[in-house]
Amino acid sequence: DAKTTQPTSMDCAEGRAANLPCNHSTISGNEYVYWYRQIHSQGPQYIIHGLKNNETNEMASLIITEDRKSSTLILPHATLRDTAVYYCIDYSDQGAQKLVFGQGTRLTINP
Amino acid sequence: ETGVTQSPTHLIKTRGQQVTLRCSSQSGHNTVSWYQQALGQGPQFIFQYYREEENGRGNFPPRFSGLQFPNYSSELNVNALELDDSALYLCASSGDLMGEKLFFGSGTQLSVL
């Protein structure tokens, strides 16, 4: 079962920042926070990951709280093509189990 | 475009049959993972192969098996198909030292009747 908790759905206006929250209440010290998204009819797409520092790349920013119990994925200027299901995942490279996806947040960008 | 291709895109089988799904990974990616995604759910990890050896397995029965070949292609085989095996099957590849930054294909939609 997934270890993270996300809202089922969110809406955001085109051009605005989309902030997607995730709760990691049971995250352990060696687990990374990974974010993926899945656009309709495609496989999941890697967005970003981090351990305890905030991260930024060309797609998004990731903010992780100091206690690591929550994170926020930020899409700074959302476009219609960002409409997708977004998954946050706690990942450890210590075990045999790999990425454990929950049901994610369905983000809809409105014109 | 992830460089990961899967075939076929759609497949219909009947209960009890066997199926083979194929995946072509990015050149240089030694790790391939397979996931099953039921309608409305997130993907579930089936197993992972690294350099042709199984390197981790999820909670799937032995009738789900795989092969990885030196040419960066791989297969997922499912024997004795059940109705609940109807799902989208996703293949993902990654390179050494990339953690779980996976590159997914678009999947094979399997329907079991």
Side-chain angles (χ1 to χ4, degrees), chain A residues 3-34:
Chain A
K3 296 175 53 180
T4 59
T5 307
Q6 300 177 255
T8 303
S9 64
M10 293 181 64
D11 285 84
C12 179
E14 188 179 18
R16 305 297 292 267
N19 297 284
L20 292 93
C22 180
N23 287 326
H24 309 263
S25 57
T26 62
I27 195 168
S28 60
N30 63 351
E31 288 183 314
Y32 291 79
V33 173
Y34 272 73

Coordinates of all heavy atoms in Angstrom, one line a residue, chain A residues 3-34:
Chain A
K3 N 2.3 4.8 1.0 CA 2.6 5.4 2.3 C 2.2 6.9 2.3 O 2.3 7.5 3.4 CB 4.0 5.2 2.6 CG 4.5 3.8 2.8 CD 6.0 3.7 3.0 CE 6.4 4.5 4.1 NZ 7.9 4.4 4.4
T4 N 1.9 7.5 1.2 CA 1.7 8.9 1.1 C 0.2 9.2 1.0 O -0.6 8.3 0.6 CB 2.4 9.5 -0.1 OG1 2.0 8.9 -1.3 CG2 3.9 9.3 0.0
T5 N -0.2 10.4 1.3 CA -1.6 10.9 1.3 C -1.6 12.1 0.4 O -0.9 13.1 0.7 CB -2.1 11.1 2.7 OG1 -1.9 10.0 3.5 CG2 -3.6 11.4 2.6
Q6 N -2.5 12.1 -0.6 CA -2.7 13.3 -1.5 C -4.1 13.6 -1.6 O -5.0 12.7 -1.5 CB -2.1 13.0 -2.8 CG -0.6 12.6 -2.9 CD -0.2 12.3 -4.3 OE1 0.1 11.1 -4.7 NE2 -0.1 13.3 -5.1
P7 N -4.5 14.9 -1.9 CA -5.9 15.1 -2.3 C -6.2 14.4 -3.6 O -5.4 14.2 -4.4 CB -5.9 16.7 -2.4 CG -4.5 17.1 -2.6 CD -3.6 16.1 -1.9
T8 N -7.5 14.0 -3.7 CA -8.0 13.3 -4.8 C -7.9 14.1 -6.1 O -7.5 13.6 -7.1 CB -9.4 12.8 -4.6 OG1 -9.4 12.0 -3.4 CG2 -9.9 11.9 -5.8
S9 N -8.3 15.4 -6.0 CA -8.3 16.3 -7.2 C -8.1 17.7 -6.8 O -8.3 18.1 -5.6 CB -9.7 16.1 -7.9 OG -10.7 16.6 -7.0
M10 N -7.6 18.5 -7.8 CA -7.3 19.9 -7.6 C -7.6 20.6 -9.0 O -7.4 19.9 -10.0 CB -5.9 20.2 -7.2 CG -5.6 19.7 -5.8 SD -3.8 20.1 -5.4 CE -3.9 21.9 -5.4
D11 N -7.9 21.9 -8.9 CA -8.0 22.7 -10.1 C -7.1 23.9 -10.0 O -6.8 24.3 -8.9 CB -9.5 23.2 -10.2 CG -10.4 22.1 -10.7 OD1 -10.9 21.4 -9.9 OD2 -10.6 22.0 -11.9
C12 N -6.6 24.3 -11.1 CA -5.7 25.5 -11.2 C -6.0 26.2 -12.5 O -6.3 25.6 -13.5 CB -4.3 25.1 -11.0 SG -3.1 26.4 -11.1
A13 N -5.9 27.6 -12.4 CA -6.1 28.3 -13.6 C -4.8 28.4 -14.4 O -3.7 28.4 -13.9 CB -6.5 29.8 -13.3
E14 N -4.9 28.3 -15.7 CA -3.8 28.4 -16.6 C -3.0 29.7 -16.4 O -3.5 30.7 -16.1 CB -4.3 28.4 -18.1 CG -3.2 28.3 -19.1 CD -3.8 28.3 -20.5 OE1 -4.9 28.7 -20.7 OE2 -3.0 27.8 -21.4
G15 N -1.6 29.5 -16.3 CA -0.8 30.6 -16.1 C -0.4 30.8 -14.6 O 0.5 31.5 -14.3
R16 N -1.3 30.2 -13.7 CA -1.0 30.4 -12.3 C -0.1 29.3 -11.8 O 0.1 28.3 -12.5 CB -2.3 30.4 -11.5 CG -3.3 31.4 -11.9 CD -2.9 32.8 -11.7 NE -2.7 33.2 -10.3 CZ -3.7 33.8 -9.6 NH1 -4.8 34.0 -10.1 NH2 -3.4 34.1 -8.4
A17 N 0.4 29.4 -10.6 CA 1.2 28.4 -10.0 C 0.3 27.3 -9.4 O -0.7 27.6 -8.7 CB 2.1 28.9 -8.9
A18 N 0.7 26.0 -9.7 CA -0.1 24.9 -9.2 C 0.8 24.3 -8.0 O 1.9 24.0 -8.2 CB -0.3 23.8 -10.2
N19 N 0.2 24.3 -6.8 CA 0.8 23.7 -5.7 C 0.2 22.4 -5.2 O -1.0 22.5 -4.8 CB 0.8 24.8 -4.5 CG 1.5 26.0 -4.9 OD1 2.7 26.1 -4.9 ND2 0.8 27.1 -5.2
L20 N 0.9 21.3 -5.4 CA 0.3 20.0 -5.0 C 0.9 19.5 -3.7 O 2.1 19.3 -3.7 CB 0.5 19.0 -6.2 CG -0.2 19.3 -7.5 CD1 0.6 20.1 -8.4 CD2 -0.6 18.0 -8.1
P21 N 0.1 19.3 -2.7 CA 0.6 18.9 -1.4 C 0.7 17.3 -1.3 O -0.1 16.6 -2.0 CB -0.4 19.4 -0.4 CG -1.7 19.4 -1.2 CD -1.4 19.6 -2.6
C22 N 1.5 16.9 -0.4 CA 1.6 15.4 -0.2 C 2.0 15.3 1.3 O 2.9 16.0 1.8 CB 2.7 14.8 -1.1 SG 2.9 13.0 -0.9
N23 N 1.4 14.3 2.0 CA 1.8 14.0 3.3 C 2.6 12.7 3.4 O 2.2 11.7 2.7 CB 0.5 13.8 4.2 CG -0.1 15.2 4.5 OD1 0.6 16.2 4.7 ND2 -1.4 15.2 4.6
H24 N 3.7 12.8 4.1 CA 4.6 11.6 4.2 C 4.7 11.3 5.7 O 5.8 11.4 6.3 CB 6.0 11.9 3.6 CG 6.0 12.6 2.3 ND1 6.2 11.8 1.1 CD2 5.8 13.8 1.9 CE1 6.1 12.6 0.1 NE2 5.9 13.9 0.5
S25 N 3.6 10.8 6.3 CA 3.6 10.7 7.8 C 4.5 9.6 8.3 O 5.0 9.7 9.4 CB 2.2 10.5 8.2 OG 1.7 9.3 7.6
T26 N 4.9 8.6 7.4 CA 5.7 7.5 7.9 C 7.0 7.4 7.2 O 7.7 6.4 7.2 CB 5.0 6.2 7.7 OG1 4.7 6.0 6.3 CG2 3.7 6.2 8.5
I27 N 7.4 8.5 6.6 CA 8.7 8.5 5.8 C 9.9 8.3 6.8 O 9.9 8.8 7.9 CB 8.9 9.8 5.0 CG1 10.0 9.6 4.0 CG2 9.2 11.0 5.9 CD1 10.0 10.8 3.0
S28 N 10.8 7.4 6.3 CA 12.0 7.2 7.1 C 13.2 7.9 6.6 O 13.2 8.5 5.5 CB 12.3 5.6 7.2 OG 12.5 5.2 5.9
G29 N 14.3 7.9 7.4 CA 15.4 8.7 7.1 C 16.1 8.5 5.8 O 16.7 9.4 5.2
N30 N 16.0 7.3 5.3 CA 16.7 6.9 4.0 C 15.8 6.9 2.8 O 16.2 6.5 1.8 CB 17.4 5.6 4.2 CG 16.4 4.5 4.4 OD1 15.2 4.7 4.6 ND2 16.9 3.2 4.3
E31 N 14.6 7.4 3.0 CA 13.6 7.4 1.9 C 13.6 8.8 1.2 O 13.6 9.8 1.8 CB 12.2 7.1 2.3 CG 12.1 5.6 2.7 CD 10.6 5.2 3.1 OE1 10.0 6.0 3.9 OE2 10.1 4.2 2.6
Y32 N 13.6 8.7 -0.1 CA 13.5 9.9 -1.0 C 12.1 10.2 -1.3 O 11.2 9.3 -1.3 CB 14.3 9.7 -2.3 CG 15.7 9.6 -2.2 CD1 16.4 8.4 -1.8 CD2 16.6 10.7 -2.5 CE1 17.7 8.3 -1.7 CE2 17.9 10.6 -2.4 CZ 18.5 9.4 -2.0 OH 19.9 9.3 -1.9
V33 N 11.8 11.4 -1.6 CA 10.5 11.8 -2.1 C 10.6 12.0 -3.6 O 11.4 12.7 -4.1 CB 10.0 13.2 -1.5 CG1 8.7 13.7 -2.1 CG2 9.9 13.1 0.0
Y34 N 9.8 11.2 -4.3 CA 9.7 11.2 -5.8 C 8.3 11.7 -6.2 O 7.3 11.4 -5.6 CB 9.9 9.8 -6.3 CG 11.4 9.4 -6.6 CD1 12.2 9.1 -5.5 CD2 11.9 9.4 -7.9 CE1 13.5 8.8 -5.8 CE2 13.2 9.0 -8.1 CZ 14.0 8.7 -7.1 OH 15.3 8.4 -7.3

